[in-house]
Amino acid sequence: MSCPVTCAAWVRCGVAKETPDKVQLSEEELKRLIEEAQDRLGDGADGSDEGQMEHGTNVAIPGRAKSSHNNEDLSDDELDEYDLENYDEEEHTGDLKLGDSLATLAVYGSNDHDPYITLKTTDQYEEEDFLIKPSDNLVLCGRADKDYCSLEVHVYNHEENSFYVHHDIILPAYPLSLEWLNFDPSPDESLGNYVAVGNMTPVIDIWDLDIVESLEPVFSLGSKKEKKKKKKGKKSLSSEGTVKGHTDAVLDLSWNKQSRNVLASASADNTVILWDMSVGKPAASLMLHTDKVQTLQFHPFETQTLISGSYDKSAVLYDCRNPQDNHRMWRFSGQVERVTWNHFSPCNFLASTEDGFVYCLDARSDKPLFTLKAHDEEVSGLQLSSQIKGCLVTSSADKYVKIWDILGDRPSLIHSRDMKMGVLFCAACCPDFPFVFAFGGEREGLRVWDISKISAVNEVFGNRERHVLASPNSVACSSVASSSSNDLETAMES
């Protein structure tokens, strides 16, 4: 049975704790968790029970009444042929006893004494798998099984070519987006190892990846409570201090690596919210889109710069210091599926659409640097290699992954492969190994692919210089949004 992987993210080597902590719940904590779960499920359960009571007398389960009636009509003569009184007695077919057949077998008191058992115990191997080495990456993915949803934490070791599930976390709702972050809201300001999860509810849950068997997130942003309807009138772009959170599903997340307490979220309620995680509340709400906001990403070097893409076929670039006055908008041929900054050309970003196009844009310009018909259906994954300039990997609902060389703004196809995973939902590049990518689709779980094993990829990118982004304070395109005029809009129809 297929268990779709809807979102994926990587954690750098050396970040995770070598020996993760295990949750030890007291009776009071366990009782509290049970009561909270009952409160959440109480309304739905009561409603369904009432419905069953109301309609239970009028609904007949097919086959049940008929079988009961047939059992009553069975006569003693019909039952006698089954000889139920002697049902449990064994039938002896010969004089051979069990002891005779085992008499020649050697029996050892323990596996340690048995020379034929070379693996005496599995405890050692289980302990080794539980430990996380400094050379291990974590690969995170959101899975949607039939009866529950979960966050799977995989361990990937490139040198040892190992890949396995370390532990998983049961999620309260269908996962839609993952974003790793190291911000710890505790007063000591230590670095953490967390993942923010956006799902079909308005709530964003932050989980500690260094804790296994956890039953609840470290903290959450937002609330499931219904928000009051706003008064009719002119809609402003930014509102501070009035918004308490989203009112619909959270479709994407982006963490600000410079201002580490800031997390941006895109929602089906048409808004982008900037969260201050140090207080657990929204700092601002950006409301320029007119339809669901599906994707967003902070600039890799500039703290204040954010880009978002929406179902309304537009991408918006914000200067978060003053988003109402400093923003730029582009229009596309279809709904925007993904946006990503080019960390090798900090003024450039890429956007993919539902009709299979990929656009490369200069944030200071109106026209795209290039337009690429990449796939036949929506481009759900848009990933630049973490260290190889010009290496672009796309994944799509058309089931294909494609590798492109976009150096010099002249895209060329290097390799294409049907992943045999059905519709592809997500792609993510390893931050430590530039040719290693993770993909999720509607079946076959999470798959990690080292594209350097493809000869065509090696020919094009094998000798290309690797660029490691060591410092977030590198010189970048300064104030790309503020260089635009207010509410500048550019159309890009294909």
mmCIF file with all atom_site columns, all heavy atoms in Angstrom, residues 7 10 18 82-83 113 117 119-120 161 188 208 241 244 281 293 339 387 389-390 411 467-468:
data_model
loop_
_atom_site.group_PDB
_atom_site.id
_atom_site.type_symbol
_atom_site.label_atom_id
_atom_site.label_alt_id
_atom_site.label_comp_id
_atom_site.label_asym_id
_atom_site.label_entity_id
_atom_site.label_seq_id
_atom_site.pdbx_PDB_ins_code
_atom_site.Cartn_x
_atom_site.Cartn_y
_atom_site.Cartn_z
_atom_site.occupancy
_atom_site.B_iso_or_equiv
_atom_site.pdbx_formal_charge
_atom_site.auth_seq_id
_atom_site.auth_comp_id
_atom_site.auth_asym_id
_atom_site.auth_atom_id
_atom_site.pdbx_PDB_model_num
ATOM 1   N N   . CYS A 1 7   ? 6.818   15.835  2.126   1.00 0.00 ? 7   CYS A N   1
ATOM 2   C CA  . CYS A 1 7   ? 7.807   16.890  2.335   1.00 0.00 ? 7   CYS A CA  1
ATOM 3   C C   . CYS A 1 7   ? 9.080   16.282  2.898   1.00 0.00 ? 7   CYS A C   1
ATOM 4   O O   . CYS A 1 7   ? 9.051   15.212  3.521   1.00 0.00 ? 7   CYS A O   1
ATOM 5   C CB  . CYS A 1 7   ? 7.269   17.976  3.271   1.00 0.00 ? 7   CYS A CB  1
ATOM 6   S SG  . CYS A 1 7   ? 6.441   17.333  4.748   1.00 0.00 ? 7   CYS A SG  1
ATOM 7   N N   . TRP A 1 10  ? 16.824  18.216  5.117   1.00 0.00 ? 10  TRP A N   1
ATOM 8   C CA  . TRP A 1 10  ? 18.107  17.657  5.561   1.00 0.00 ? 10  TRP A CA  1
ATOM 9   C C   . TRP A 1 10  ? 18.592  18.375  6.815   1.00 0.00 ? 10  TRP A C   1
ATOM 10  O O   . TRP A 1 10  ? 18.258  19.535  7.053   1.00 0.00 ? 10  TRP A O   1
ATOM 11  C CB  . TRP A 1 10  ? 19.178  17.818  4.475   1.00 0.00 ? 10  TRP A CB  1
ATOM 12  C CG  . TRP A 1 10  ? 19.026  16.914  3.290   1.00 0.00 ? 10  TRP A CG  1
ATOM 13  C CD1 . TRP A 1 10  ? 18.230  17.130  2.206   1.00 0.00 ? 10  TRP A CD1 1
ATOM 14  C CD2 . TRP A 1 10  ? 19.690  15.668  3.060   1.00 0.00 ? 10  TRP A CD2 1
ATOM 15  N NE1 . TRP A 1 10  ? 18.354  16.097  1.310   1.00 0.00 ? 10  TRP A NE1 1
ATOM 16  C CE2 . TRP A 1 10  ? 19.251  15.185  1.804   1.00 0.00 ? 10  TRP A CE2 1
ATOM 17  C CE3 . TRP A 1 10  ? 20.620  14.918  3.777   1.00 0.00 ? 10  TRP A CE3 1
ATOM 18  C CZ2 . TRP A 1 10  ? 19.714  13.989  1.266   1.00 0.00 ? 10  TRP A CZ2 1
ATOM 19  C CZ3 . TRP A 1 10  ? 21.081  13.732  3.245   1.00 0.00 ? 10  TRP A CZ3 1
ATOM 20  C CH2 . TRP A 1 10  ? 20.623  13.274  2.010   1.00 0.00 ? 10  TRP A CH2 1
ATOM 21  N N   . GLU A 1 18  ? 24.900  12.972  19.648  1.00 0.00 ? 18  GLU A N   1
ATOM 22  C CA  . GLU A 1 18  ? 25.408  11.627  19.375  1.00 0.00 ? 18  GLU A CA  1
ATOM 23  C C   . GLU A 1 18  ? 24.507  10.555  19.962  1.00 0.00 ? 18  GLU A C   1
ATOM 24  O O   . GLU A 1 18  ? 24.217  9.547   19.307  1.00 0.00 ? 18  GLU A O   1
ATOM 25  C CB  . GLU A 1 18  ? 26.823  11.480  19.943  1.00 0.00 ? 18  GLU A CB  1
ATOM 26  C CG  . GLU A 1 18  ? 27.443  10.116  19.659  1.00 0.00 ? 18  GLU A CG  1
ATOM 27  C CD  . GLU A 1 18  ? 28.859  9.992   20.193  1.00 0.00 ? 18  GLU A CD  1
ATOM 28  O OE1 . GLU A 1 18  ? 29.339  10.958  20.822  1.00 0.00 ? 18  GLU A OE1 1
ATOM 29  O OE2 . GLU A 1 18  ? 29.479  8.927   19.987  1.00 0.00 ? 18  GLU A OE2 1
ATOM 30  N N   . TYR A 1 82  ? -19.573 -32.524 12.296  1.00 0.00 ? 82  TYR A N   1
ATOM 31  C CA  . TYR A 1 82  ? -18.307 -31.843 12.561  1.00 0.00 ? 82  TYR A CA  1
ATOM 32  C C   . TYR A 1 82  ? -17.583 -32.391 13.782  1.00 0.00 ? 82  TYR A C   1
ATOM 33  O O   . TYR A 1 82  ? -16.426 -32.042 14.023  1.00 0.00 ? 82  TYR A O   1
ATOM 34  C CB  . TYR A 1 82  ? -18.557 -30.335 12.750  1.00 0.00 ? 82  TYR A CB  1
ATOM 35  C CG  . TYR A 1 82  ? -19.145 -29.670 11.523  1.00 0.00 ? 82  TYR A CG  1
ATOM 36  C CD1 . TYR A 1 82  ? -20.488 -29.301 11.473  1.00 0.00 ? 82  TYR A CD1 1
ATOM 37  C CD2 . TYR A 1 82  ? -18.350 -29.410 10.412  1.00 0.00 ? 82  TYR A CD2 1
ATOM 38  C CE1 . TYR A 1 82  ? -21.021 -28.703 10.351  1.00 0.00 ? 82  TYR A CE1 1
ATOM 39  C CE2 . TYR A 1 82  ? -18.872 -28.804 9.280   1.00 0.00 ? 82  TYR A CE2 1
ATOM 40  C CZ  . TYR A 1 82  ? -20.214 -28.451 9.247   1.00 0.00 ? 82  TYR A CZ  1
ATOM 41  O OH  . TYR A 1 82  ? -20.740 -27.849 8.134   1.00 0.00 ? 82  TYR A OH  1
ATOM 42  N N   . ASP A 1 83  ? -18.244 -33.246 14.574  1.00 0.00 ? 83  ASP A N   1
ATOM 43  C CA  . ASP A 1 83  ? -17.633 -33.884 15.742  1.00 0.00 ? 83  ASP A CA  1
ATOM 44  C C   . ASP A 1 83  ? -16.940 -32.852 16.636  1.00 0.00 ? 83  ASP A C   1
ATOM 45  O O   . ASP A 1 83  ? -15.767 -32.952 16.974  1.00 0.00 ? 83  ASP A O   1
ATOM 46  C CB  . ASP A 1 83  ? -16.614 -34.937 15.285  1.00 0.00 ? 83  ASP A CB  1
ATOM 47  C CG  . ASP A 1 83  ? -16.187 -35.848 16.443  1.00 0.00 ? 83  ASP A CG  1
ATOM 48  O OD1 . ASP A 1 83  ? -16.937 -35.922 17.441  1.00 0.00 ? 83  ASP A OD1 1
ATOM 49  O OD2 . ASP A 1 83  ? -15.112 -36.458 16.343  1.00 0.00 ? 83  ASP A OD2 1
ATOM 50  N N   . HIS A 1 113 ? 27.166  -20.529 23.647  1.00 0.00 ? 113 HIS A N   1
ATOM 51  C CA  . HIS A 1 113 ? 27.800  -21.851 23.582  1.00 0.00 ? 113 HIS A CA  1
ATOM 52  C C   . HIS A 1 113 ? 27.568  -22.560 22.255  1.00 0.00 ? 113 HIS A C   1
ATOM 53  O O   . HIS A 1 113 ? 28.190  -23.583 21.990  1.00 0.00 ? 113 HIS A O   1
ATOM 54  C CB  . HIS A 1 113 ? 27.279  -22.728 24.726  1.00 0.00 ? 113 HIS A CB  1
ATOM 55  C CG  . HIS A 1 113 ? 27.535  -22.145 26.088  1.00 0.00 ? 113 HIS A CG  1
ATOM 56  N ND1 . HIS A 1 113 ? 26.605  -22.216 27.108  1.00 0.00 ? 113 HIS A ND1 1
ATOM 57  C CD2 . HIS A 1 113 ? 28.593  -21.463 26.575  1.00 0.00 ? 113 HIS A CD2 1
ATOM 58  C CE1 . HIS A 1 113 ? 27.085  -21.617 28.184  1.00 0.00 ? 113 HIS A CE1 1
ATOM 59  N NE2 . HIS A 1 113 ? 28.304  -21.147 27.880  1.00 0.00 ? 113 HIS A NE2 1
ATOM 60  N N   . ILE A 1 117 ? 25.838  -20.434 15.804  1.00 0.00 ? 117 ILE A N   1
ATOM 61  C CA  . ILE A 1 117 ? 25.266  -19.089 15.866  1.00 0.00 ? 117 ILE A CA  1
ATOM 62  C C   . ILE A 1 117 ? 26.411  -18.100 15.995  1.00 0.00 ? 117 ILE A C   1
ATOM 63  O O   . ILE A 1 117 ? 27.069  -18.011 17.031  1.00 0.00 ? 117 ILE A O   1
ATOM 64  C CB  . ILE A 1 117 ? 24.290  -18.947 17.053  1.00 0.00 ? 117 ILE A CB  1
ATOM 65  C CG1 . ILE A 1 117 ? 23.106  -19.900 16.879  1.00 0.00 ? 117 ILE A CG1 1
ATOM 66  C CG2 . ILE A 1 117 ? 23.807  -17.507 17.169  1.00 0.00 ? 117 ILE A CG2 1
ATOM 67  C CD1 . ILE A 1 117 ? 22.091  -19.828 17.992  1.00 0.00 ? 117 ILE A CD1 1
ATOM 68  N N   . LEU A 1 119 ? 26.063  -14.720 15.293  1.00 0.00 ? 119 LEU A N   1
ATOM 69  C CA  . LEU A 1 119 ? 25.551  -13.470 15.829  1.00 0.00 ? 119 LEU A CA  1
ATOM 70  C C   . LEU A 1 119 ? 24.911  -13.772 17.177  1.00 0.00 ? 119 LEU A C   1
ATOM 71  O O   . LEU A 1 119 ? 23.765  -14.196 17.261  1.00 0.00 ? 119 LEU A O   1
ATOM 72  C CB  . LEU A 1 119 ? 24.523  -12.858 14.863  1.00 0.00 ? 119 LEU A CB  1
ATOM 73  C CG  . LEU A 1 119 ? 23.944  -11.488 15.246  1.00 0.00 ? 119 LEU A CG  1
ATOM 74  C CD1 . LEU A 1 119 ? 25.050  -10.449 15.294  1.00 0.00 ? 119 LEU A CD1 1
ATOM 75  C CD2 . LEU A 1 119 ? 22.868  -11.067 14.263  1.00 0.00 ? 119 LEU A CD2 1
ATOM 76  N N   . LYS A 1 120 ? 25.690  -13.608 18.258  1.00 0.00 ? 120 LYS A N   1
ATOM 77  C CA  . LYS A 1 120 ? 25.235  -14.005 19.579  1.00 0.00 ? 120 LYS A CA  1
ATOM 78  C C   . LYS A 1 120 ? 24.106  -13.118 20.087  1.00 0.00 ? 120 LYS A C   1
ATOM 79  O O   . LYS A 1 120 ? 23.186  -13.578 20.746  1.00 0.00 ? 120 LYS A O   1
ATOM 80  C CB  . LYS A 1 120 ? 26.404  -13.961 20.568  1.00 0.00 ? 120 LYS A CB  1
ATOM 81  C CG  . LYS A 1 120 ? 27.613  -14.786 20.121  1.00 0.00 ? 120 LYS A CG  1
ATOM 82  C CD  . LYS A 1 120 ? 27.277  -16.263 19.968  1.00 0.00 ? 120 LYS A CD  1
ATOM 83  C CE  . LYS A 1 120 ? 28.505  -17.074 19.559  1.00 0.00 ? 120 LYS A CE  1
ATOM 84  N NZ  . LYS A 1 120 ? 28.179  -18.504 19.354  1.00 0.00 ? 120 LYS A NZ  1
ATOM 85  N N   . ASN A 1 161 ? 27.697  4.504   2.951   1.00 0.00 ? 161 ASN A N   1
ATOM 86  C CA  . ASN A 1 161 ? 26.581  4.164   2.076   1.00 0.00 ? 161 ASN A CA  1
ATOM 87  C C   . ASN A 1 161 ? 25.444  3.502   2.866   1.00 0.00 ? 161 ASN A C   1
ATOM 88  O O   . ASN A 1 161 ? 24.853  2.508   2.442   1.00 0.00 ? 161 ASN A O   1
ATOM 89  C CB  . ASN A 1 161 ? 27.028  3.237   0.935   1.00 0.00 ? 161 ASN A CB  1
ATOM 90  C CG  . ASN A 1 161 ? 25.999  3.176   -0.184  1.00 0.00 ? 161 ASN A CG  1
ATOM 91  O OD1 . ASN A 1 161 ? 25.246  4.132   -0.403  1.00 0.00 ? 161 ASN A OD1 1
ATOM 92  N ND2 . ASN A 1 161 ? 25.954  2.056   -0.893  1.00 0.00 ? 161 ASN A ND2 1
ATOM 93  N N   . ASP A 1 188 ? 18.971  30.306  27.999  1.00 0.00 ? 188 ASP A N   1
ATOM 94  C CA  . ASP A 1 188 ? 20.424  30.144  27.900  1.00 0.00 ? 188 ASP A CA  1
ATOM 95  C C   . ASP A 1 188 ? 20.957  30.352  26.481  1.00 0.00 ? 188 ASP A C   1
ATOM 96  O O   . ASP A 1 188 ? 22.169  30.366  26.261  1.00 0.00 ? 188 ASP A O   1
ATOM 97  C CB  . ASP A 1 188 ? 20.857  28.767  28.406  1.00 0.00 ? 188 ASP A CB  1
ATOM 98  C CG  . ASP A 1 188 ? 20.185  27.633  27.640  1.00 0.00 ? 188 ASP A CG  1
ATOM 99  O OD1 . ASP A 1 188 ? 19.436  27.929  26.686  1.00 0.00 ? 188 ASP A OD1 1
ATOM 100 O OD2 . ASP A 1 188 ? 20.412  26.466  27.994  1.00 0.00 ? 188 ASP A OD2 1
ATOM 101 N N   . ASP A 1 208 ? 11.714  18.549  18.807  1.00 0.00 ? 208 ASP A N   1
ATOM 102 C CA  . ASP A 1 208 ? 13.133  18.397  19.117  1.00 0.00 ? 208 ASP A CA  1
ATOM 103 C C   . ASP A 1 208 ? 13.625  17.089  18.502  1.00 0.00 ? 208 ASP A C   1
ATOM 104 O O   . ASP A 1 208 ? 13.164  16.006  18.872  1.00 0.00 ? 208 ASP A O   1
ATOM 105 C CB  . ASP A 1 208 ? 13.338  18.384  20.637  1.00 0.00 ? 208 ASP A CB  1
ATOM 106 C CG  . ASP A 1 208 ? 14.807  18.513  21.020  1.00 0.00 ? 208 ASP A CG  1
ATOM 107 O OD1 . ASP A 1 208 ? 15.673  18.182  20.187  1.00 0.00 ? 208 ASP A OD1 1
ATOM 108 O OD2 . ASP A 1 208 ? 15.084  18.937  22.152  1.00 0.00 ? 208 ASP A OD2 1
ATOM 109 N N   . GLY A 1 241 ? 0.714   43.179  15.584  1.00 0.00 ? 241 GLY A N   1
ATOM 110 C CA  . GLY A 1 241 ? 0.105   43.154  16.890  1.00 0.00 ? 241 GLY A CA  1
ATOM 111 C C   . GLY A 1 241 ? -1.357  42.778  16.896  1.00 0.00 ? 241 GLY A C   1
ATOM 112 O O   . GLY A 1 241 ? -1.982  42.743  17.945  1.00 0.00 ? 241 GLY A O   1
ATOM 113 N N   . LYS A 1 244 ? -3.248  36.720  15.371  1.00 0.00 ? 244 LYS A N   1
ATOM 114 C CA  . LYS A 1 244 ? -2.861  35.698  16.331  1.00 0.00 ? 244 LYS A CA  1
ATOM 115 C C   . LYS A 1 244 ? -2.349  34.433  15.652  1.00 0.00 ? 244 LYS A C   1
ATOM 116 O O   . LYS A 1 244 ? -1.864  33.535  16.317  1.00 0.00 ? 244 LYS A O   1
ATOM 117 C CB  . LYS A 1 244 ? -4.046  35.360  17.233  1.00 0.00 ? 244 LYS A CB  1
ATOM 118 C CG  . LYS A 1 244 ? -4.461  36.516  18.129  1.00 0.00 ? 244 LYS A CG  1
ATOM 119 C CD  . LYS A 1 244 ? -5.568  36.106  19.067  1.00 0.00 ? 244 LYS A CD  1
ATOM 120 C CE  . LYS A 1 244 ? -5.945  37.270  19.983  1.00 0.00 ? 244 LYS A CE  1
ATOM 121 N NZ  . LYS A 1 244 ? -7.037  36.887  20.907  1.00 0.00 ? 244 LYS A NZ  1
ATOM 122 N N   . LYS A 1 281 ? 4.790   34.441  19.099  1.00 0.00 ? 281 LYS A N   1
ATOM 123 C CA  . LYS A 1 281 ? 3.677   35.203  18.541  1.00 0.00 ? 281 LYS A CA  1
ATOM 124 C C   . LYS A 1 281 ? 4.061   35.794  17.187  1.00 0.00 ? 281 LYS A C   1
ATOM 125 O O   . LYS A 1 281 ? 5.241   35.967  16.897  1.00 0.00 ? 281 LYS A O   1
ATOM 126 C CB  . LYS A 1 281 ? 3.275   36.335  19.495  1.00 0.00 ? 281 LYS A CB  1
ATOM 127 C CG  . LYS A 1 281 ? 2.746   35.857  20.830  1.00 0.00 ? 281 LYS A CG  1
ATOM 128 C CD  . LYS A 1 281 ? 2.381   37.040  21.712  1.00 0.00 ? 281 LYS A CD  1
ATOM 129 C CE  . LYS A 1 281 ? 1.839   36.565  23.059  1.00 0.00 ? 281 LYS A CE  1
ATOM 130 N NZ  . LYS A 1 281 ? 1.490   37.703  23.946  1.00 0.00 ? 281 LYS A NZ  1
ATOM 131 N N   . VAL A 1 293 ? -1.051  30.948  -0.509  1.00 0.00 ? 293 VAL A N   1
ATOM 132 C CA  . VAL A 1 293 ? 0.389   31.158  -0.625  1.00 0.00 ? 293 VAL A CA  1
ATOM 133 C C   . VAL A 1 293 ? 1.059   29.801  -0.444  1.00 0.00 ? 293 VAL A C   1
ATOM 134 O O   . VAL A 1 293 ? 1.021   29.215  0.631   1.00 0.00 ? 293 VAL A O   1
ATOM 135 C CB  . VAL A 1 293 ? 0.906   32.168  0.410   1.00 0.00 ? 293 VAL A CB  1
ATOM 136 C CG1 . VAL A 1 293 ? 2.369   32.497  0.129   1.00 0.00 ? 293 VAL A CG1 1
ATOM 137 C CG2 . VAL A 1 293 ? 0.065   33.438  0.393   1.00 0.00 ? 293 VAL A CG2 1
ATOM 138 N N   . VAL A 1 339 ? 9.601   28.511  -5.061  1.00 0.00 ? 339 VAL A N   1
ATOM 139 C CA  . VAL A 1 339 ? 10.567  29.588  -5.295  1.00 0.00 ? 339 VAL A CA  1
ATOM 140 C C   . VAL A 1 339 ? 11.837  29.249  -4.519  1.00 0.00 ? 339 VAL A C   1
ATOM 141 O O   . VAL A 1 339 ? 11.780  28.625  -3.457  1.00 0.00 ? 339 VAL A O   1
ATOM 142 C CB  . VAL A 1 339 ? 10.034  30.969  -4.840  1.00 0.00 ? 339 VAL A CB  1
ATOM 143 C CG1 . VAL A 1 339 ? 8.884   31.418  -5.713  1.00 0.00 ? 339 VAL A CG1 1
ATOM 144 C CG2 . VAL A 1 339 ? 9.632   30.955  -3.370  1.00 0.00 ? 339 VAL A CG2 1
ATOM 145 N N   . GLN A 1 387 ? 26.608  23.183  -3.503  1.00 0.00 ? 387 GLN A N   1
ATOM 146 C CA  . GLN A 1 387 ? 27.984  23.622  -3.695  1.00 0.00 ? 387 GLN A CA  1
ATOM 147 C C   . GLN A 1 387 ? 28.415  23.747  -5.156  1.00 0.00 ? 387 GLN A C   1
ATOM 148 O O   . GLN A 1 387 ? 29.448  24.344  -5.434  1.00 0.00 ? 387 GLN A O   1
ATOM 149 C CB  . GLN A 1 387 ? 28.951  22.653  -2.988  1.00 0.00 ? 387 GLN A CB  1
ATOM 150 C CG  . GLN A 1 387 ? 28.740  22.549  -1.488  1.00 0.00 ? 387 GLN A CG  1
ATOM 151 C CD  . GLN A 1 387 ? 29.610  21.490  -0.847  1.00 0.00 ? 387 GLN A CD  1
ATOM 152 O OE1 . GLN A 1 387 ? 30.618  21.070  -1.415  1.00 0.00 ? 387 GLN A OE1 1
ATOM 153 N NE2 . GLN A 1 387 ? 29.227  21.027  0.325   1.00 0.00 ? 387 GLN A NE2 1
ATOM 154 N N   . LYS A 1 389 ? 27.934  25.262  -8.718  1.00 0.00 ? 389 LYS A N   1
ATOM 155 C CA  . LYS A 1 389 ? 27.269  26.364  -9.402  1.00 0.00 ? 389 LYS A CA  1
ATOM 156 C C   . LYS A 1 389 ? 26.660  25.898  -10.723 1.00 0.00 ? 389 LYS A C   1
ATOM 157 O O   . LYS A 1 389 ? 27.303  25.224  -11.518 1.00 0.00 ? 389 LYS A O   1
ATOM 158 C CB  . LYS A 1 389 ? 28.282  27.482  -9.667  1.00 0.00 ? 389 LYS A CB  1
ATOM 159 C CG  . LYS A 1 389 ? 27.668  28.769  -10.193 1.00 0.00 ? 389 LYS A CG  1
ATOM 160 C CD  . LYS A 1 389 ? 28.707  29.862  -10.300 1.00 0.00 ? 389 LYS A CD  1
ATOM 161 C CE  . LYS A 1 389 ? 28.088  31.178  -10.754 1.00 0.00 ? 389 LYS A CE  1
ATOM 162 N NZ  . LYS A 1 389 ? 29.094  32.249  -10.854 1.00 0.00 ? 389 LYS A NZ  1
ATOM 163 N N   . GLY A 1 390 ? 25.386  26.252  -10.916 1.00 0.00 ? 390 GLY A N   1
ATOM 164 C CA  . GLY A 1 390 ? 24.706  25.939  -12.169 1.00 0.00 ? 390 GLY A CA  1
ATOM 165 C C   . GLY A 1 390 ? 23.992  24.608  -12.191 1.00 0.00 ? 390 GLY A C   1
ATOM 166 O O   . GLY A 1 390 ? 23.302  24.307  -13.169 1.00 0.00 ? 390 GLY A O   1
ATOM 167 N N   . PRO A 1 411 ? 20.053  27.321  -19.954 1.00 0.00 ? 411 PRO A N   1
ATOM 168 C CA  . PRO A 1 411 ? 19.764  25.989  -19.415 1.00 0.00 ? 411 PRO A CA  1
ATOM 169 C C   . PRO A 1 411 ? 19.853  24.887  -20.465 1.00 0.00 ? 411 PRO A C   1
ATOM 170 O O   . PRO A 1 411 ? 19.391  25.051  -21.595 1.00 0.00 ? 411 PRO A O   1
ATOM 171 C CB  . PRO A 1 411 ? 18.329  26.127  -18.889 1.00 0.00 ? 411 PRO A CB  1
ATOM 172 C CG  . PRO A 1 411 ? 17.744  27.258  -19.659 1.00 0.00 ? 411 PRO A CG  1
ATOM 173 C CD  . PRO A 1 411 ? 18.880  28.203  -19.937 1.00 0.00 ? 411 PRO A CD  1
ATOM 174 N N   . HIS A 1 467 ? 31.779  25.473  -4.292  1.00 0.00 ? 467 HIS A N   1
ATOM 175 C CA  . HIS A 1 467 ? 31.723  26.693  -3.486  1.00 0.00 ? 467 HIS A CA  1
ATOM 176 C C   . HIS A 1 467 ? 31.003  26.375  -2.184  1.00 0.00 ? 467 HIS A C   1
ATOM 177 O O   . HIS A 1 467 ? 29.823  26.024  -2.196  1.00 0.00 ? 467 HIS A O   1
ATOM 178 C CB  . HIS A 1 467 ? 30.970  27.805  -4.228  1.00 0.00 ? 467 HIS A CB  1
ATOM 179 C CG  . HIS A 1 467 ? 31.598  28.168  -5.540  1.00 0.00 ? 467 HIS A CG  1
ATOM 180 N ND1 . HIS A 1 467 ? 32.515  29.187  -5.668  1.00 0.00 ? 467 HIS A ND1 1
ATOM 181 C CD2 . HIS A 1 467 ? 31.437  27.651  -6.790  1.00 0.00 ? 467 HIS A CD2 1
ATOM 182 C CE1 . HIS A 1 467 ? 32.894  29.273  -6.937  1.00 0.00 ? 467 HIS A CE1 1
ATOM 183 N NE2 . HIS A 1 467 ? 32.252  28.367  -7.635  1.00 0.00 ? 467 HIS A NE2 1
ATOM 184 N N   . VAL A 1 468 ? 31.702  26.486  -1.073  1.00 0.00 ? 468 VAL A N   1
ATOM 185 C CA  . VAL A 1 468 ? 31.098  26.245  0.227   1.00 0.00 ? 468 VAL A CA  1
ATOM 186 C C   . VAL A 1 468 ? 30.744  27.585  0.839   1.00 0.00 ? 468 VAL A C   1
ATOM 187 O O   . VAL A 1 468 ? 31.610  28.454  1.007   1.00 0.00 ? 468 VAL A O   1
ATOM 188 C CB  . VAL A 1 468 ? 32.050  25.469  1.158   1.00 0.00 ? 468 VAL A CB  1
ATOM 189 C CG1 . VAL A 1 468 ? 31.396  25.246  2.510   1.00 0.00 ? 468 VAL A CG1 1
ATOM 190 C CG2 . VAL A 1 468 ? 32.443  24.147  0.518   1.00 0.00 ? 468 VAL A CG2 1
#
